[in-house]
Amino acid sequence: MSKADVLLGLQWGDEGKGKIVDVLTPSYDIIARFQGGPNAGHTLEFNGIKHVLHTIPSGIFHPTAINIVGNGVVIDPVIFKKEIDALLTLGVDVKTKLLISKRAHLILPTHRLLDAANEASKGKNKIGSTLKGIGPTYMDKTGRNGLRIGDIETKEFKEKYTALVEKHKQLLSFYNYDYNLNELEPTWFEAIEFLQQLQFIDTEHYINKALVSGKKILAEGAQGSLLDIDFGSYPFVTSSNTICAGACNGLGIPPNKIGNVIGIFKAYCTRVGSGPFPTELENETGEKIRQIGREFGSTTGRPRRTGWLDIPALKYAIMVNGVTELMMMKADILSEFENIEICTHYDYDGTIIDYLPYNIDPKYIKPITTTVKGWNKDLTAIDNKDKLPAQLMDYVRFIEKATDTPISIVSVGPDRKQTIQMR
Ligand code: GDP
Ligand code: IMO
Ligand code: MG
């Protein structure tokens, strides 16, 4: 009997989860996505190829690993088909290596319209959603109206689809939202037809049998802990549980079958979309991080907001996930900074605190930072821990001490090879 490891982002997403899953895949038999959907954009780089995955797990390029899209994921058939087409062009054997849960929910064209209508109605208070229909699809799931992958194979599929769309039309008329569904539906149904070549299965049975037979499973998180529906900066969050417990719900893994919990974070912070961001740098330094780090969304192309590393927020994410090891990404981006700041505490309305409180609205909370010396050295060609500059090792040790959690990998570039093992 084995246990499943979970890999997840500890900040506001885009920490580099895709890269690390790809690096770790050779040690696993199965890679499984457990939540989120095409709001995710996971980037992999190897042999000069850069590839962005949205719904498909980042283990898909490995020749034998099985990749599972779990019940907790929401699937847009149109985006899914595009992803598969791109992989088929690269010669990836998607048909045998990809398994899809019958319980995964479908994103309908009207879910996307509702996402857009809802955001438009919020005006300046909008969430900054990726407009992929994520919120409305999860609302239909918890509201017990949703359509699932398993429904595709039933005779009533079209009927169920029509009934749900009728409900959505009423909501859209409430929003006074203009749309032309006739333009969207044919492509959606073509994609549904196409998807039927793939394997729809009861992934919870498959995964639990795999655990019993000692297979190694890695659950791949999407988004980040600070976007979690319960523990993130609500309401500026996504609509799923992005934390470790989400892997239990989203795959049918019992909690006592979770092994290592790998937490991924950037050496600084980014956030895309609206919502509070305590260490945000709305100045030249923030712009410098954005430009050097190429901090523009993998899914939407939007500029990402940038700021220094936030230790209280990181400790919070480590706590709610039960993180057993950390991996620090994009260390190379800080190479050009003479000094680096780290937020260690907050001033919360006059009181100094070292934890993430309920309210992180900038009206209440100011980051308190400490300054450390930068390393001022290009890291991108370094291939061994012993060659890392002393100041970077100090930065690593500072974070390990502050979080009481070991850092097992430091990433120094987007390529698979630019990965330093620390232990
Ligand atoms: P994910 O959503 O967590 O998988 O992350 P994204 O793919 O959205 O964003 C991470 C971006 O950083 C991608 O463009 C990666 O190719 C890139 N990246 C990952 N690790 C590193 C690193 O250590 N250094 C640099 N320079 N880029 C990295
Ligand atoms: P990966 O997996 C970064 C953000 C959106 C918005 C909020 C809600 O690549 O790290 P949604 O479309 O989910 O309703 O948007 O969440 N968001 C992400 N930010 N990385 C992601 O995924 C994200 N997925 C959603 O920008 O603020
Ligand atoms: Mg991303």
Side-chain angles (χ1 to χ4, degrees):
M1 173 75 83
S2 55
K3 289 193 173 187
D5 295 340
V6 183
L7 179 147
L8 23 83
L10 300 181
Q11 296 162 323
W12 281 283
D14 303 329
E15 296 88 351
K17 300 175 290 291
K19 163 177 168 165
I20 291 294
V21 171
D22 172 60
V23 167
L24 299 182
T25 298
S27 312
Y28 289 93
D29 301 298
I30 297 170
I31 309 295
R33 274 279 303 270
F34 57 90
Q35 46 67 234
N39 49 350
H42 294 182
T43 315
L44 288 74
E45 278 193 47
F46 56 91
N47 304 339
I49 297 176
K50 176 173 167 167
H51 200 88
V52 182
L53 294 162
H54 299 287
T55 327
I56 294 175
S58 304
I60 198 71
F61 287 99
H62 188 270
T64 55
I66 294 295
N67 286 257
I68 294 180
V69 178
N71 56 280
V73 176
V74 290
I75 297 174
D76 182 331
V78 179
I79 297 177
F80 204 50
K81 176 177 182 297
K82 276 194 197 140
E83 282 191 75
I84 291 166
D85 283 340
L87 290 168
L88 289 172
T89 317
L90 293 172
V92 176
D93 176 14
V94 185
K95 287 179 193 161
T96 53
K97 291 198 305 174
L98 186 65
L99 306 176
I100 304 158
S101 169
K102 288 186 185 172
R103 294 176 192 272
H105 278 247
L106 287 168
I107 302 177
L108 272 54
T110 39
H111 283 132
R112 297 186 65 150
L113 295 170
L114 283 166
D115 201 359
N118 187 30
E119 283 283 80
S121 77
K122 286 196 159 120
K124 69 174 179 31
N125 295 323
K126 70 175 183 184
I127 306 293
S129 119
T130 58
L131 301 178
K132 303 293 178 201
I134 304 296
T137 306
Y138 279 114
M139 276 166 74
D140 270 336
K141 174 178 178 175
T142 51
R144 297 159 294 180
N145 293 313
L147 267 188
R148 301 189 288 178
I149 285 285
D151 291 324
I152 296 176
E153 290 165 333
T154 66
K155 287 200 203 79
E156 301 80 34
F157 180 61
K158 196 72 200 274
E159 212 175 291
K160 281 189 183 164
Y161 170 87
T162 310
L164 186 51
V165 168
E166 283 311 313
K167 276 191 194 150
H168 291 165
K169 282 181 180 165
Q170 285 181 19
L171 286 169
L172 287 163
S173 69
F174 163 79
Y175 282 117
N176 240 328
Y177 193 78
D178 252 352
Y179 61 93
N180 184 353
L181 199 50
N182 294 334
E183 277 177 5
L184 306 171
E185 278 182 330
T187 335
W188 194 83
F189 279 104
E190 267 166 41
I192 288 282
E193 188 74 32
F194 173 88
L195 290 193
Q196 295 190 55
Q197 310 164 48
L198 301 173
Q199 303 186 58
F200 302 162
I201 67 157
D202 295 321
T203 49
E204 65 278 24
H205 285 298
Y206 185 93
I207 285 173
N208 280 285
K209 271 188 200 145
L211 287 173
V212 170
S213 65
K215 290 243 161 43
K216 293 204 70 188
I217 300 179
L218 180 66
E220 172 182 1
Q223 290 80 55
S225 300
L226 304 177
L227 289 171
D228 181 271
I229 184 73
D230 282 283
F231 299 104
S233 44
Y234 191 88
F236 301 102
V237 293
T238 191
S239 298
S240 64
N241 278 116
T242 60
I243 60 163
C244 182
C248 298
N249 293 330
L251 291 169
I253 299 174
N256 64 347
K257 298 291 180 308
I258 297 291
N260 287 338
V261 182
I262 304 164
I264 310 285
F265 71 100
K266 276 181 197 168
Y268 48 94
C269 278
T270 64
R271 167 163 210 171
V272 59
S274 326
F277 179 177
T279 62
E280 183 168 16
L281 295 164
E282 290 176 282
N283 57 17
E284 265 176 36
T285 310
E287 187 55 33
K288 188 171 163 187
I289 297 178
R290 178 157 42 248
Q291 292 306 332
I292 301 175
R294 291 199 210 100
E295 293 296 353
F296 298 90
S298 314
T299 296
T300 57
R302 292 178 292 177
R304 295 179 184 142
R305 300 156 64 193
T306 54
W308 296 121
L309 185 65
D310 184 336
I311 297 279
L314 194 59
K315 285 197 300 188
Y316 184 79
I318 291 170
M319 175 183 79
V320 295
N321 287 303
V323 169
T324 55
E325 65 186 280
L326 292 166
M327 296 184 181
M328 184 170 84
M329 311 302 292
K330 300 191 92 162
D332 53 304
I333 304 307
L334 296 185
S335 289
E336 285 178 43
F337 290 82
E338 203 65 46
N339 292 305
I340 296 167
E341 287 182 51
I342 310 175
C343 166
T344 55
H345 295 76
Y346 304 127
D347 176 339
Y348 185 81
D349 224 10
T351 308
I352 308 299
I353 58 170
D354 66 355
Y355 60 88
L356 188 81
Y358 170 76
N359 193 340
I360 59 164
D361 189 293
K363 277 205 293 286
Y364 296 91
I365 195 171
K366 303 269 172 298
I368 298 175
T369 60
T370 186
T371 305
V372 297
K373 269 239 121 336
W375 39 92
N376 256 292
K377 184 177 180 218
D378 179 25
L379 305 176
T380 53
I382 295 183
D383 56 3
N384 188 302
K385 172 182 179 251
D386 300 330
K387 297 181 193 153
L388 290 175
Q391 294 88 340
L392 173 58
M393 289 303 287
D394 290 344
Y395 193 68
V396 167
R397 287 197 200 102
F398 185 100
I399 299 164
E400 288 185 322
K401 188 158 177 249
T403 60
D404 200 19
T405 316
I407 296 182
S408 59
I409 278 180
V410 171
S411 174
V412 293
D415 194 89
R416 254 182 205 170
K417 291 197 188 120
Q418 293 169 304
T419 309
I420 316 279
Q421 302 289 339
M422 302 298 282
R423 288 192 286 177

